[in-house]
């Protein structure tokens, strides 16, 4: 058990896929998602790219209704932390840690209720794409944000350990 509460293991409903870089003389192309490869409930409705500087952690936080579709683009070295916080899940109280080295391109779909955080453990800035299945702050940015920010809680059980 880790953190006195979570057991390491794979988490039900988290989808991890290595993506294929299609290279030619011009460079490369990678398909970030395809409608025919994702359940309709998980399909992105918006997209953004974020840069994370070395040593920086984003999260841990979770969403009640939103699924995140992260793509680690192979630019940077990231460690992804996942905690299953869904009481009705067969993997409730499991923790999963994934690592993506420079040059590795992976998509990870994180369902609602799975607490997540990632850290740039490399020496260079890194890039991550996200295509969540809900609009941030709803249509026209007029709804409450679907986010529980555990990083703001000093006694949070969701701790980043290196």
């Amino acid at each position: 058990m880790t953190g006195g509460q979570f057991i390491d293991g794979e988490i039900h409903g988290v989808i991890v896929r290595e993506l294929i870089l299609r290279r030619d003389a011009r460079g490369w192309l990678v398909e970030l998602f395809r409608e025919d490869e994702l359940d309709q409930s998980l399909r992105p409705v918006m997209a953004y790219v974020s840069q994370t500087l070395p040593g920086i952690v984003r999260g841990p936080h979770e969403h009640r209704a939103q699924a995140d579709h992260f793509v680690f683009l192979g630019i940077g070295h990231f460690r992804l932390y996942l905690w299953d916080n869904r009481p009705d899940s067969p993997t409730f109280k499991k923790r999963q840690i994934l690592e993506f080295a420079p040059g590795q391109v992976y998509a990870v779909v994180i369902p609602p209720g799975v607490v997540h955080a990632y850290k740039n453990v490399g020496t260079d800035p890194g890039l991550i794409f996200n295509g969540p299945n809900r609009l941030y702050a709803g249509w026209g940015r007029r709804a409450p944000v679907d986010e529980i920010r555990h990083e703001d809680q000093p006694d949070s059980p969701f701790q980043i350990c290196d």
Side-chain angles (χ1 to χ4, degrees), residues 11-162:
I11 294 176
H12 178 75
V14 172
I15 301 166
V16 180
R17 295 184 306 122
E18 184 172 13
L19 300 181
I20 299 168
L21 288 176
R22 302 189 189 285
R23 299 177 187 274
D24 65 20
R26 301 167 294 176
W28 57 263
L29 175 142
V30 63
E31 294 177 345
L32 302 182
F33 75 93
R34 291 178 49 99
E35 184 176 19
D36 61 344
E37 293 178 349
L38 281 177
D39 183 89
Q40 185 174 355
S41 67
L42 298 174
R43 292 184 191 149
V45 298
M46 66 174 283
Y48 65 87
V49 174
S50 64
Q51 180 191 62
T52 303
L53 298 175
I56 298 298
V57 174
R58 294 189 186 256
H61 68 265
E62 69 182 292
H63 307 286
R64 288 186 179 95
Q66 175 179 306
D68 281 328
H69 183 118
F70 288 126
V71 178
F72 294 85
L73 295 166
I75 302 167
H77 187 169
F78 286 96
R79 191 168 295 136
L80 174 64
Y81 301 83
L82 305 166
W83 297 267
D84 194 344
N85 203 31
R86 304 167 295 173
D88 60 342
S89 169
T91 55
F92 179 52
K93 296 295 183 185
K94 291 269 182 154
R95 179 186 76 164
Q96 185 173 4
I97 300 173
L98 301 166
E99 193 154 331
F100 307 107
Q104 292 184 314
V105 182
Y106 275 84
V108 181
V109 179
I110 303 168
V114 173
V115 177
H116 50 284
Y118 57 82
K119 180 178 184 178
N120 182 342
V121 295
T123 57
D124 297 313
L127 295 178
I128 296 178
F129 164 93
N130 189 17
N133 69 339
R134 300 284 187 271
L135 293 173
Y136 182 81
W139 194 263
R141 294 182 181 93
R142 294 188 180 118
V145 174
D146 176 18
E147 193 168 62
I148 301 166
R149 302 190 64 82
H150 297 287
E151 64 266 41
D152 296 337
Q153 301 168 3
D155 60 343
S156 171
F158 312 106
Q159 298 294 319
I160 305 302
C161 53
D162 293 323

